Amino acid sequence: MFALIDCNNFYASCERNFDPKLVGKPIVVLSNNDGCVIARSEEAKQLGIQMGAPAFQCQEQFDKHGVEIFSANFTLYGDMSRRVMSILSKYSPVQEIYSIDECFLDLNGIDEDLSQYGLKMKKQVDLFTGLPISVGIAPTKTLAKAANRIAKKFPKQTRGVHVIDTDELRLKALKWLDIGDVWGIGRRSAAKLHKNGVYKAIDFIKLPESWVLKNMTIVGLNLQKELKGLPVIEMEREEKHKSISTTRTFETDYHSFDQLKERIVTFTTLCADKLRRQNSLCKRMSLFIKTNIHKETRTQYSKSIDIKLPFPTSSTLELIEFAVEGLTSIFKENLHYKRAGVTLSDFVDADQHQLSLFFNSNPKHEKLMQAVDEINQKYHKNLIRVATTDTQTFKMKQARLSPCYTTNIDDVIKVKIG
DNA sequence: TCTGGGGTCCTAGGACCC
DNA sequence: TCTGGGGTCCTAGGACCC
């Protein structure tokens, strides 16, 4: 059996957690630059505020109902996530952290009544962090997702925990579940399935396997098996990322090469930091620049470049060199740039990689980077930095940023009590 | 005026190999 | 006149997730 545990309205719950005045009020959290709605409390959902809606289009609604608005505070959410995950990790030897607010647990070998077990998790997370969670338990990961959905939809009947452990319960769930709400079925597949008369998950498992394979690839077929109760999707045990990216929409348009260069160099630095933290080297880097797609009257330009590195590296200095070279080759003058990003991929372990015959990462950089990382960790995030980067790492509009309650002592002192 | 960010997986088609 | 077949690797793009 697998459990899928997730936090209810995670970002909104984190904000509410530290300010009791917010209990019972509609809360929304906005994306970077305060652009779109990316999280809503239950009350905000009731008002009909849509996920992903541009904030400026919702302003009237916000004013009318006194919606509490927050700029995304990922430092806070990340820290709360670590706490929740750490508690849940005690409930199984095998945990897969699936997203910032979700994890799977392998419950094989757990002897207790699973419903009680789920309730115990919920109580402990609430006691230690104050965050509400929902628990779905079933024989496959896809069914655990479905069970979780039921737990969330019917909090009174389920108390936030739902277990699918018989065929009867499985079929009952599939009759209730819309096909578009199945984990792995997106808009495109849902539309295709609707055309073929499939509206509920139960209709989907009745389709011939050959049709599913032909029209939805192996992914669709695996999904179908999972809904039938046959486990196909396994627990992911690798904790290292396979790619790392930093991308941003700018608050204003950028025109010059130097402005973009500063951003690309800063993004590269952030990616390299993350890369070293997971003790990897990368063999590939890609970067892109884009104009504002919402300004249709202006000249549009979107270009990316993929760079195969001559040797694996995690040196910020070396990566920056490649990044600037890449940017030079795709940059065009006289345009209004609005977005850019850097992605590192093709990782190898730092401890056990093959040296190249002709080109290798500068061996001095390894120690240099280690020293820089240690100093920055000890004193201040950007105490030592490459001169091309801006001290203001994120140039974003964050008009309503909450304090980093759990990670920044200065922030905590600033919070007014009462 | 104002429109997010970070991931994973699969497939088709081209380039290349023998 | 008649010009193969099997395989791998790479990459762009699509689809999906939260």
Side-chain angles (χ1 to χ4, degrees):
Chain A
M1 297 291 273
F2 298 91
L4 184 274
I5 300 108
D6 77 349
C7 302
N8 305 347
N9 314 323
F10 182 55
Y11 298 166
S13 298
C14 283
E15 298 292 350
R16 171 135 71 201
N17 215 1
F18 291 92
D19 188 351
K21 286 200 296 291
L22 299 175
V23 172
K25 291 204 176 147
I27 300 170
V28 299
V29 177
L30 305 182
S31 62
N32 284 340
N33 283 318
D34 294 345
C36 297
V37 173
I38 55 165
R40 305 156 296 160
S41 71
E42 215 52 57
E43 298 80 2
K45 287 180 188 171
Q46 294 296 319
L47 293 176
I49 296 167
Q50 293 300 307
M51 183 71 172
F56 72 92
Q57 287 176 5
C58 303
Q59 198 53 53
E60 214 171 295
Q61 237 176 337
F62 293 166
D63 294 341
K64 191 173 159 197
H65 299 100
V67 175
E68 300 282 347
I69 305 157
F70 289 91
S71 305
N73 183 345
F74 291 112
T75 312
L76 176 66
Y77 312 149
D79 188 61
M80 292 310 290
S81 168
R82 269 189 293 280
R83 290 163 194 248
V84 172
M85 296 306 166
S86 158
I87 295 164
L88 293 173
S89 72
K90 306 292 193 298
Y91 285 83
S92 162
V94 186
Q95 177 188 39
E96 175 190 337
I97 297 176
Y98 179 68
S99 76
I100 192 163
D101 75 330
E102 265 179 71
C103 74
F104 287 100
L105 296 179
D106 185 339
L107 297 187
N108 286 311
I110 303 295
D111 240 357
E112 288 179 52
D113 176 81
L114 292 178
S115 197
Q116 288 302 316
Y117 202 60
L119 283 169
K120 215 154 70 175
M121 295 179 205
K122 198 169 153 55
K123 270 187 197 142
Q124 199 189 350
V125 171
D126 179 38
L127 184 65
F128 286 14
T129 70
L131 294 171
I133 61 169
S134 300
V135 183
I137 297 173
T140 69
K141 287 170 87 175
T142 309
L143 286 170
K145 271 280 196 183
N148 179 285
R149 205 176 184 85
I150 292 168
K152 218 180 251 124
K153 195 81 183 176
F154 306 101
K156 291 217 176 77
Q157 297 92 314
T158 62
R159 289 193 289 166
V161 179
H162 186 62
V163 181
I164 295 176
D165 54 0
T166 64
D167 253 358
E168 198 188 339
L169 282 169
R170 182 174 65 85
L171 294 172
K172 193 176 168 190
L174 296 185
K175 270 179 211 155
W176 170 81
L177 187 63
D178 285 340
I179 188 63
D181 291 336
V182 171
W183 184 45
I185 300 288
R187 292 164 76 136
R188 301 298 279 263
S189 302
K192 194 185 283 180
L193 288 165
H194 286 162
K195 264 191 211 152
N196 285 273
V198 174
Y199 295 94
K200 297 286 181 183
I202 192 100
D203 307 326
F204 179 59
I205 63 167
K206 289 175 187 160
L207 289 175
E209 289 183 2
S210 56
W211 188 93
V212 176
L213 181 62
K214 193 172 161 223
N215 291 281
M216 301 175 67
T217 77
I218 189 76
V219 182
L221 193 58
N222 285 342
L223 214 55
Q224 201 192 28
K225 286 183 184 159
E226 285 253 320
L227 290 173
K228 289 176 179 170
L230 307 165
V232 179
I233 305 172
E234 294 179 352
M235 293 288 279
E236 198 74 56
R237 304 190 78 144
E238 180 61 68
E239 77 287 2
K240 289 186 180 179
H241 285 137
K242 294 171 181 170
S243 70
I244 291 171
S245 26
T246 306
T247 66
R248 288 289 179 279
T249 300
F250 313 136
E251 200 187 343
T252 56
D253 291 350
Y254 287 173
H255 305 97
S256 76
F257 178 80
D258 282 349
Q259 283 176 309
L260 278 181
K261 178 175 152 191
E262 183 277 315
R263 289 290 73 191
I264 290 291
V265 168
T266 301
F267 297 166
T268 304
T269 306
L270 289 165
C271 287
D273 284 350
K274 274 198 197 171
L275 185 65
R276 291 196 299 274
R277 245 176 281 149
Q278 71 163 39
N279 198 29
S280 298
L281 310 177
C282 74
K283 294 193 290 184
R284 179 180 298 272
M285 156 186 257
S286 65
L287 50 103
F288 73 85
I289 49 176
K290 266 186 204 309
T291 51
N292 192 340
I293 55 164
H294 299 292
K295 297 247 170 75
E296 287 162 15
T297 52
R298 286 203 191 136
T299 312
Q300 295 288 322
Y301 181 63
S302 168
K303 186 86 180 162
S304 72
I305 183 167
D306 206 47
I307 305 160
K308 203 173 168 183
L309 307 182
F311 46 79
T313 179
S314 64
S315 157
T316 302
L317 301 176
E318 284 169 344
L319 289 168
I320 284 175
E321 268 190 64
F322 294 120
V324 172
E325 199 178 308
L327 176 64
T328 309
S329 71
I330 58 173
F331 178 81
K332 272 188 10 187
E333 298 277 359
N334 302 319
L335 291 168
H336 305 266
Y337 291 102
K338 185 69 173 167
R339 253 171 77 70
V342 172
T343 301
L344 305 180
S345 56
D346 262 23
F347 299 156
V348 289
D349 262 0
D351 321 323
Q352 42 181 325
H353 77 278
Q354 184 95 43
L355 288 173
S356 151
L357 193 51
F358 301 110
F359 306 106
N360 283 296
S361 180
N362 184 336
K364 289 181 180 170
H365 284 199
E366 194 184 328
K367 283 188 175 163
L368 176 64
M369 286 299 133
Q370 220 172 1
V372 169
D373 288 343
E374 275 172 31
I375 293 169
N376 283 347
Q377 208 181 0
K378 193 164 175 186
Y379 297 102
H380 182 269
K381 233 193 210 162
N382 300 312
L383 189 66
I384 298 185
R385 59 184 177 82
V386 175
T388 337
T389 61
D390 199 305
T391 38
Q392 195 193 340
T393 313
F394 297 109
K395 301 173 168 186
M396 292 186 303
K397 187 175 159 202
Q398 291 184 305
R400 297 169 176 269
L401 190 62
S402 58
C404 293
Y405 295 101
T406 57
T407 51
N408 186 330
I409 190 70
D410 297 328
D411 264 14
V412 176
I413 291 166
K414 268 186 260 166
V415 177
K416 289 182 194 159
I417 309 291

mmCIF file of all heavy atoms in Angstrom, chain A residues 56-81:
data_model
loop_
_atom_site.group_PDB
_atom_site.id
_atom_site.type_symbol
_atom_site.label_atom_id
_atom_site.label_comp_id
_atom_site.label_asym_id
_atom_site.label_seq_id
_atom_site.Cartn_x
_atom_site.Cartn_y
_atom_site.Cartn_z
ATOM 1 N N PHE A 56 -3.920 41.592 -11.320
ATOM 2 C CA PHE A 56 -4.556 42.884 -11.635
ATOM 3 C C PHE A 56 -5.997 42.706 -12.118
ATOM 4 O O PHE A 56 -6.803 43.611 -11.989
ATOM 5 C CB PHE A 56 -3.712 43.683 -12.638
ATOM 6 C CG PHE A 56 -3.708 43.144 -14.048
ATOM 7 C CD1 PHE A 56 -4.631 43.614 -14.973
ATOM 8 C CD2 PHE A 56 -2.801 42.171 -14.438
ATOM 9 C CE1 PHE A 56 -4.629 43.140 -16.282
ATOM 10 C CE2 PHE A 56 -2.800 41.682 -15.732
ATOM 11 C CZ PHE A 56 -3.712 42.164 -16.662
ATOM 12 N N GLN A 57 -6.312 41.514 -12.631
ATOM 13 C CA GLN A 57 -7.693 41.267 -13.060
ATOM 14 C C GLN A 57 -8.609 40.912 -11.885
ATOM 15 O O GLN A 57 -9.820 40.910 -12.009
ATOM 16 C CB GLN A 57 -7.724 40.138 -14.094
ATOM 17 C CG GLN A 57 -7.192 40.555 -15.454
ATOM 18 C CD GLN A 57 -7.125 39.406 -16.440
ATOM 19 O OE1 GLN A 57 -7.571 38.283 -16.149
ATOM 20 N NE2 GLN A 57 -6.573 39.656 -17.616
ATOM 21 N N CYS A 58 -8.018 40.560 -10.740
ATOM 22 C CA CYS A 58 -8.811 40.155 -9.571
ATOM 23 C C CYS A 58 -8.960 41.288 -8.566
ATOM 24 O O CYS A 58 -9.619 41.124 -7.540
ATOM 25 C CB CYS A 58 -8.156 38.988 -8.851
ATOM 26 S SG CYS A 58 -7.880 37.549 -9.873
ATOM 27 N N GLN A 59 -8.316 42.413 -8.837
ATOM 28 C CA GLN A 59 -8.216 43.467 -7.839
ATOM 29 C C GLN A 59 -9.576 43.861 -7.253
ATOM 30 O O GLN A 59 -9.720 44.009 -6.044
ATOM 31 C CB GLN A 59 -7.525 44.706 -8.451
ATOM 32 C CG GLN A 59 -6.978 45.674 -7.420
ATOM 33 C CD GLN A 59 -6.057 44.993 -6.410
ATOM 34 O OE1 GLN A 59 -5.112 44.315 -6.796
ATOM 35 N NE2 GLN A 59 -6.345 45.124 -5.112
ATOM 36 N N GLU A 60 -10.557 43.969 -8.118
ATOM 37 C CA GLU A 60 -11.897 44.369 -7.670
ATOM 38 C C GLU A 60 -12.438 43.384 -6.624
ATOM 39 O O GLU A 60 -12.926 43.772 -5.573
ATOM 40 C CB GLU A 60 -12.833 44.390 -8.883
ATOM 41 C CG GLU A 60 -13.897 45.469 -8.821
ATOM 42 C CD GLU A 60 -14.625 45.554 -10.158
ATOM 43 O OE1 GLU A 60 -13.982 45.924 -11.157
ATOM 44 O OE2 GLU A 60 -15.820 45.200 -10.185
ATOM 45 N N GLN A 61 -12.279 42.102 -6.951
ATOM 46 C CA GLN A 61 -12.726 41.043 -6.048
ATOM 47 C C GLN A 61 -11.978 41.093 -4.717
ATOM 48 O O GLN A 61 -12.568 40.919 -3.646
ATOM 49 C CB GLN A 61 -12.450 39.695 -6.711
ATOM 50 C CG GLN A 61 -13.669 38.832 -6.872
ATOM 51 C CD GLN A 61 -13.317 37.568 -7.633
ATOM 52 O OE1 GLN A 61 -12.336 37.519 -8.380
ATOM 53 N NE2 GLN A 61 -14.117 36.551 -7.446
ATOM 54 N N PHE A 62 -10.659 41.338 -4.802
ATOM 55 C CA PHE A 62 -9.842 41.422 -3.589
ATOM 56 C C PHE A 62 -10.370 42.533 -2.684
ATOM 57 O O PHE A 62 -10.548 42.350 -1.488
ATOM 58 C CB PHE A 62 -8.379 41.729 -3.933
ATOM 59 C CG PHE A 62 -7.657 40.618 -4.666
ATOM 60 C CD1 PHE A 62 -6.438 40.866 -5.292
ATOM 61 C CD2 PHE A 62 -8.178 39.327 -4.707
ATOM 62 C CE1 PHE A 62 -5.764 39.850 -5.961
ATOM 63 C CE2 PHE A 62 -7.514 38.309 -5.373
ATOM 64 C CZ PHE A 62 -6.310 38.576 -5.999
ATOM 65 N N ASP A 63 -10.617 43.697 -3.277
ATOM 66 C CA ASP A 63 -11.084 44.857 -2.499
ATOM 67 C C ASP A 63 -12.449 44.584 -1.889
ATOM 68 O O ASP A 63 -12.682 44.831 -0.717
ATOM 69 C CB ASP A 63 -11.179 46.102 -3.399
ATOM 70 C CG ASP A 63 -9.805 46.545 -3.886
ATOM 71 O OD1 ASP A 63 -8.810 46.130 -3.264
ATOM 72 O OD2 ASP A 63 -9.738 47.282 -4.893
ATOM 73 N N LYS A 64 -13.335 44.058 -2.712
ATOM 74 C CA LYS A 64 -14.723 43.865 -2.296
ATOM 75 C C LYS A 64 -14.841 42.931 -1.094
ATOM 76 O O LYS A 64 -15.620 43.178 -0.179
ATOM 77 C CB LYS A 64 -15.515 43.295 -3.482
ATOM 78 C CG LYS A 64 -17.023 43.295 -3.266
ATOM 79 C CD LYS A 64 -17.755 42.876 -4.533
ATOM 80 C CE LYS A 64 -19.145 42.380 -4.214
ATOM 81 N NZ LYS A 64 -19.687 41.608 -5.355
ATOM 82 N N HIS A 65 -14.048 41.857 -1.093
ATOM 83 C CA HIS A 65 -14.189 40.856 -0.028
ATOM 84 C C HIS A 65 -13.094 40.905 1.023
ATOM 85 O O HIS A 65 -13.002 40.030 1.872
ATOM 86 C CB HIS A 65 -14.247 39.452 -0.636
ATOM 87 C CG HIS A 65 -15.416 39.261 -1.553
ATOM 88 N ND1 HIS A 65 -15.297 39.323 -2.924
ATOM 89 C CD2 HIS A 65 -16.721 39.049 -1.286
ATOM 90 C CE1 HIS A 65 -16.486 39.134 -3.470
ATOM 91 N NE2 HIS A 65 -17.371 38.972 -2.504
ATOM 92 N N GLY A 66 -12.266 41.936 0.955
ATOM 93 C CA GLY A 66 -11.187 42.064 1.934
ATOM 94 C C GLY A 66 -10.239 40.874 1.920
ATOM 95 O O GLY A 66 -9.878 40.346 2.973
ATOM 96 N N VAL A 67 -9.849 40.463 0.712
ATOM 97 C CA VAL A 67 -8.943 39.313 0.599
ATOM 98 C C VAL A 67 -7.543 39.711 1.083
ATOM 99 O O VAL A 67 -7.045 40.770 0.731
ATOM 100 C CB VAL A 67 -8.869 38.830 -0.870
ATOM 101 C CG1 VAL A 67 -7.854 37.711 -1.036
ATOM 102 C CG2 VAL A 67 -10.246 38.391 -1.349
ATOM 103 N N GLU A 68 -6.952 38.861 1.897
ATOM 104 C CA GLU A 68 -5.584 39.091 2.374
ATOM 105 C C GLU A 68 -4.620 38.602 1.309
ATOM 106 O O GLU A 68 -4.684 37.443 0.889
ATOM 107 C CB GLU A 68 -5.342 38.323 3.683
ATOM 108 C CG GLU A 68 -6.284 38.720 4.807
ATOM 109 C CD GLU A 68 -5.888 40.040 5.464
ATOM 110 O OE1 GLU A 68 -4.752 40.500 5.216
ATOM 111 O OE2 GLU A 68 -6.713 40.590 6.220
ATOM 112 N N ILE A 69 -3.715 39.484 0.873
ATOM 113 C CA ILE A 69 -2.825 39.170 -0.252
ATOM 114 C C ILE A 69 -1.379 39.077 0.215
ATOM 115 O O ILE A 69 -0.917 39.913 0.982
ATOM 116 C CB ILE A 69 -2.933 40.270 -1.334
ATOM 117 C CG1 ILE A 69 -4.393 40.438 -1.750
ATOM 118 C CG2 ILE A 69 -2.061 39.950 -2.533
ATOM 119 C CD1 ILE A 69 -4.698 41.778 -2.359
ATOM 120 N N PHE A 70 -0.690 38.032 -0.258
ATOM 121 C CA PHE A 70 0.719 37.859 0.092
ATOM 122 C C PHE A 70 1.574 37.654 -1.154
ATOM 123 O O PHE A 70 1.153 36.967 -2.085
ATOM 124 C CB PHE A 70 0.893 36.643 1.007
ATOM 125 C CG PHE A 70 0.341 36.854 2.390
ATOM 126 C CD1 PHE A 70 -0.982 36.514 2.672
ATOM 127 C CD2 PHE A 70 1.127 37.408 3.382
ATOM 128 C CE1 PHE A 70 -1.500 36.721 3.942
ATOM 129 C CE2 PHE A 70 0.611 37.623 4.653
ATOM 130 C CZ PHE A 70 -0.704 37.277 4.939
ATOM 131 N N SER A 71 2.780 38.246 -1.155
ATOM 132 C CA SER A 71 3.793 37.899 -2.154
ATOM 133 C C SER A 71 4.362 36.549 -1.741
ATOM 134 O O SER A 71 4.508 36.278 -0.553
ATOM 135 C CB SER A 71 4.921 38.930 -2.163
ATOM 136 O OG SER A 71 4.415 40.231 -2.366
ATOM 137 N N ALA A 72 4.696 35.715 -2.716
ATOM 138 C CA ALA A 72 5.199 34.384 -2.389
ATOM 139 C C ALA A 72 6.472 34.469 -1.547
ATOM 140 O O ALA A 72 7.397 35.192 -1.888
ATOM 141 C CB ALA A 72 5.479 33.618 -3.678
ATOM 142 N N ASN A 73 6.495 33.731 -0.450
ATOM 143 C CA ASN A 73 7.644 33.718 0.453
ATOM 144 C C ASN A 73 8.202 32.295 0.484
ATOM 145 O O ASN A 73 7.915 31.513 1.398
ATOM 146 C CB ASN A 73 7.190 34.164 1.846
ATOM 147 C CG ASN A 73 8.325 34.256 2.832
ATOM 148 O OD1 ASN A 73 9.423 33.728 2.588
ATOM 149 N ND2 ASN A 73 8.085 34.909 3.944
ATOM 150 N N PHE A 74 8.994 31.967 -0.550
ATOM 151 C CA PHE A 74 9.428 30.578 -0.702
ATOM 152 C C PHE A 74 10.417 30.142 0.370
ATOM 153 O O PHE A 74 10.547 28.954 0.635
ATOM 154 C CB PHE A 74 10.005 30.359 -2.104
ATOM 155 C CG PHE A 74 8.958 30.423 -3.176
ATOM 156 C CD1 PHE A 74 8.935 31.446 -4.099
ATOM 157 C CD2 PHE A 74 7.952 29.453 -3.228
ATOM 158 C CE1 PHE A 74 7.936 31.518 -5.061
ATOM 159 C CE2 PHE A 74 6.956 29.517 -4.189
ATOM 160 C CZ PHE A 74 6.946 30.554 -5.116
ATOM 161 N N THR A 75 11.069 31.099 1.000
ATOM 162 C CA THR A 75 11.956 30.734 2.110
ATOM 163 C C THR A 75 11.124 30.141 3.247
ATOM 164 O O THR A 75 11.482 29.112 3.823
ATOM 165 C CB THR A 75 12.702 31.989 2.607
ATOM 166 O OG1 THR A 75 13.242 32.666 1.467
ATOM 167 C CG2 THR A 75 13.803 31.619 3.558
ATOM 168 N N LEU A 76 10.028 30.800 3.542
ATOM 169 C CA LEU A 76 9.137 30.305 4.600
ATOM 170 C C LEU A 76 8.517 28.960 4.224
ATOM 171 O O LEU A 76 8.547 28.009 5.014
ATOM 172 C CB LEU A 76 8.027 31.339 4.857
ATOM 173 C CG LEU A 76 6.946 30.936 5.873
ATOM 174 C CD1 LEU A 76 7.533 30.802 7.262
ATOM 175 C CD2 LEU A 76 5.804 31.954 5.889
ATOM 176 N N TYR A 77 7.988 28.863 2.997
ATOM 177 C CA TYR A 77 7.307 27.622 2.603
ATOM 178 C C TYR A 77 8.290 26.450 2.557
ATOM 179 O O TYR A 77 7.955 25.336 2.959
ATOM 180 C CB TYR A 77 6.626 27.768 1.233
ATOM 181 C CG TYR A 77 5.792 29.033 1.082
ATOM 182 C CD1 TYR A 77 5.653 29.656 -0.154
ATOM 183 C CD2 TYR A 77 5.161 29.606 2.187
ATOM 184 C CE1 TYR A 77 4.910 30.822 -0.291
ATOM 185 C CE2 TYR A 77 4.427 30.771 2.056
ATOM 186 C CZ TYR A 77 4.313 31.379 0.816
ATOM 187 O OH TYR A 77 3.590 32.535 0.689
ATOM 188 N N GLY A 78 9.498 26.740 2.078
ATOM 189 C CA GLY A 78 10.520 25.686 2.007
ATOM 190 C C GLY A 78 10.865 25.162 3.382
ATOM 191 O O GLY A 78 10.995 23.952 3.581
ATOM 192 N N ASP A 79 10.979 26.040 4.334
ATOM 193 C CA ASP A 79 11.340 25.609 5.689
ATOM 194 C C ASP A 79 10.202 24.826 6.340
ATOM 195 O O ASP A 79 10.418 23.810 6.982
ATOM 196 C CB ASP A 79 11.711 26.822 6.552
ATOM 197 C CG ASP A 79 12.272 26.389 7.886
ATOM 198 O OD1 ASP A 79 13.311 25.700 7.878
ATOM 199 O OD2 ASP A 79 11.668 26.697 8.929
ATOM 200 N N MET A 80 8.955 25.289 6.158
ATOM 201 C CA MET A 80 7.809 24.559 6.712
ATOM 202 C C MET A 80 7.697 23.188 6.058
ATOM 203 O O MET A 80 7.378 22.196 6.707
ATOM 204 C CB MET A 80 6.509 25.352 6.503
ATOM 205 C CG MET A 80 6.416 26.631 7.316
ATOM 206 S SD MET A 80 6.772 26.431 9.067
ATOM 207 C CE MET A 80 5.339 25.513 9.609
ATOM 208 N N SER A 81 7.991 23.135 4.762
ATOM 209 C CA SER A 81 7.950 21.866 4.039
ATOM 210 C C SER A 81 8.935 20.874 4.647
ATOM 211 O O SER A 81 8.599 19.714 4.894
ATOM 212 C CB SER A 81 8.282 22.118 2.567
ATOM 213 O OG SER A 81 8.514 20.904 1.897
#
